[in-house]
Amino acid sequence: MPSKKTLNYCSLNNMEKSTDEKKYNGLIIAVSIVIPVVVALLFSFKLKDFGFDVKPFTFLPPIYATINGITAVLLVVAVKAIQNGNRALHERLMKLAIACSLAFLVMYVAYHLTSVSTKFGDANHDGILDATELSTIGSLRLLYFFILISHITLSVAIIPLVLFTYVRALSERFDRHKKLAKITFPIWLYVAITGVIVYVMISPYYA
């Protein structure tokens, strides 16, 4: 039976870990709000509107789509690693997955700051979907928008989930980390995979 001294030490240790976790909560909430708002605001203008002579970064979509694919692979391998008891590998892979997600965000914003948004089905690249183009893509357009909207919505939701999950591991609250990770993992994986799917579906219509 553990001694009173040991129990007091464990209790104090748990309190310290809880404090470490809580001190990040406000920052995580702020970041989770600021990032989507800033990205939304950036989408409302182009750099050329402010006199910046910047060529469209049209080369970025296949790159950040590939990064999404890499993120998906990293997530799956990371989960396998922790299931096999390899915590060190799991930690490294998760840090890489977070870095990939940040790289995707930077590239995604850079592309939309310099390029005109592509419309799904716009085969002649005139920015208008005529009757022929709409007829050609048919119900596929509804599928595309379902995937796109769910991808965007969940990409906003995943920000606090990833950060809270990471902080719980950082604070060594592994019981709480594991519980939240069961929610975070499938959503993050869905966002990564649908990012690739969205690119594959719209890539034929890039100018």
Side-chain angles (χ1 to χ4, degrees):
M1 182 176 180
S3 65
K4 184 176 181 180
K5 184 178 180 180
T6 301
L7 290 174
N8 287 338
Y9 173 78
C10 291
S11 178
L12 181 61
N13 191 39
N14 287 334
M15 287 176 63
E16 289 176 349
K17 291 178 180 178
S18 179
T19 301
D20 289 341
E21 181 184 340
K22 288 179 180 178
K23 72 181 181 181
Y24 291 104
N25 289 353
L27 180 61
I28 290 173
I29 293 171
V31 168
S32 301
I33 294 173
V34 169
I35 289 179
V37 170
V38 170
V39 171
L41 290 174
L42 290 174
F43 273 37
S44 64
F45 64 86
K46 305 295 179 187
L47 288 180
K48 65 179 182 180
D49 298 334
F50 295 86
F52 292 98
D53 185 18
V54 180
K55 292 183 178 180
F57 294 162
T58 53
F59 61 91
L60 286 178
I63 297 176
Y64 61 66
T66 301
I67 289 176
N68 265 326
I70 293 172
T71 301
V73 173
L74 287 172
L75 291 174
V76 172
V77 177
V79 168
K80 291 295 183 182
I82 198 63
Q83 287 175 344
N84 292 331
N86 195 336
R87 182 181 293 180
L89 177 59
H90 173 77
E91 182 179 347
R92 288 196 296 270
L93 291 172
M94 292 310 300
K95 287 179 178 178
L96 280 174
I98 292 174
C100 283
S101 293
L102 288 174
F104 163 80
L105 179 62
V106 172
M107 292 184 188
Y108 187 73
V109 170
Y111 170 75
H112 285 280
L113 278 175
T114 61
S115 310
V116 177
S117 295
T118 301
K119 291 186 177 182
F120 183 75
D122 185 16
N124 60 7
H125 314 300
D126 64 353
I128 301 172
L129 292 178
D130 57 35
T132 301
E133 289 170 332
L134 287 171
S135 176
T136 300
I137 57 176
S139 58
L140 191 61
R141 187 165 181 260
L142 294 176
L143 176 62
Y144 170 77
F145 278 111
F146 171 79
I147 296 173
L148 177 63
I149 292 171
S150 64
H151 169 79
I152 293 173
T153 302
L154 292 176
S155 66
V156 173
I158 200 61
I159 296 172
L161 286 173
V162 169
L163 294 177
F164 278 122
T165 304
Y166 179 71
V167 165
R168 288 181 177 184
L170 197 64
S171 303
E172 298 183 357
R173 301 299 299 273
F174 296 116
D175 54 335
R176 291 166 56 80
H177 167 77
K178 184 177 180 180
K179 184 181 293 186
L180 186 56
K182 289 180 179 180
I183 299 172
T184 303
F185 169 71
I187 296 176
W188 196 356
L189 185 62
Y190 177 86
V191 169
I193 291 174
T194 52
V196 178
I197 294 173
V198 166
Y199 168 73
V200 170
M201 293 183 74
I202 200 170
S203 59
Y205 306 108
Y206 282 124

